Amino acid sequence: MGISILRGDITKQAVDAIVNAANSSLMGGGGVDGAIHRAGGPAILDECRDLRASRYGRGLPTGQAVATTAGNLNARWVIHTVGPVYSESEDRSALLASCYRESLRVADELGAASVAFPAVSAGVYGWPAESAARIAVATVRETDTRVDDVRFVLFNDEVYAAFERAM
Ligand code: AR6
């Protein structure tokens, strides 16, 4: 598997699947979630609504992942995952690792060969960049998957530098 890090806007990536750092509601939000829904258009939200009605009445649990199509994005699918909110009193690393593992499992189900990840939980959810990067890189390296092109697409310099060190 090839793993690369890039600086930039994940919505511009031409890959099979773009991973979204969503929240349990799947109804959109700020950060990369907002950017993906803005760039992808309303079709993504319509599918999210259907998923809430059919499979996730209480919302998508933290650490899990689910796919929709990608609307106007230059990708075939969006894989929505819910990262944990960072906590100083409780170690939630296993949930963050689960986001990467579950996203790759969903990618395998779809037959996606290339997947772009943002730094899940490293924004609004407050996860320190250094730790978020280490968990992301280690988990992807350890996961048995048919995905052969994983790209971490980082939006700001601090997070990019942390991923560079983790790699
Ligand atoms: N491309 C790539 N990365 C981005 C982009 C982009 N276009 N925009 C922001 N980032 P966040 P979280 C980076 O806050 O911490 C939302 O409201 C950002 O700089 O998007 O998992 C959801 O609805 C940061 O490094 O996600 C949830 O409520 C990283 O993406 C909540 O935020 C993740 O930041 C999820 O919080």
Side-chain angles (χ1 to χ4, degrees), residues 91-134:
D91 182 6
R92 298 178 178 165
S93 306
L95 283 169
L96 184 55
S98 173
C99 289
Y100 290 94
R101 219 171 15 245
E102 286 298 303
S103 295
L104 289 172
R105 190 182 59 73
V106 170
D108 279 341
E109 275 174 16
L110 296 166
S114 53
V115 176
F117 282 99
V120 178
S121 289
V124 173
Y125 282 178
W127 208 287
E130 213 64 40
S131 166
R134 271 200 311 270

Side-chain angles (χ1 to χ4, degrees), residues 8-10 21-23 28-33 35 119 121-125 153 155-156 159:
D9 178 353
I10 201 169
N23 59 63
V32 71
D33 194 7
S121 289
V124 173
Y125 282 178
V153 183
F155 205 54
N156 68 58
V159 176

Side-chain angles (χ1 to χ4, degrees), residues 24-26 48 50-61 64-67 105:
S24 287
S25 81
L26 296 176
C48 285
D50 291 344
L51 282 168
R52 283 297 306 276
S54 60
R55 285 170 62 186
Y56 299 107
R58 293 175 170 182
L60 181 65
Q64 295 193 21
V66 67
R105 190 182 59 73

Side-chain angles (χ1 to χ4, degrees), residues 61-85:
T62 303
Q64 295 193 21
V66 67
T68 63
T69 55
N72 304 323
L73 292 171
N74 206 353
R76 296 176 67 186
W77 300 285
V78 174
I79 298 173
H80 308 263
T81 191
V82 182
V85 175

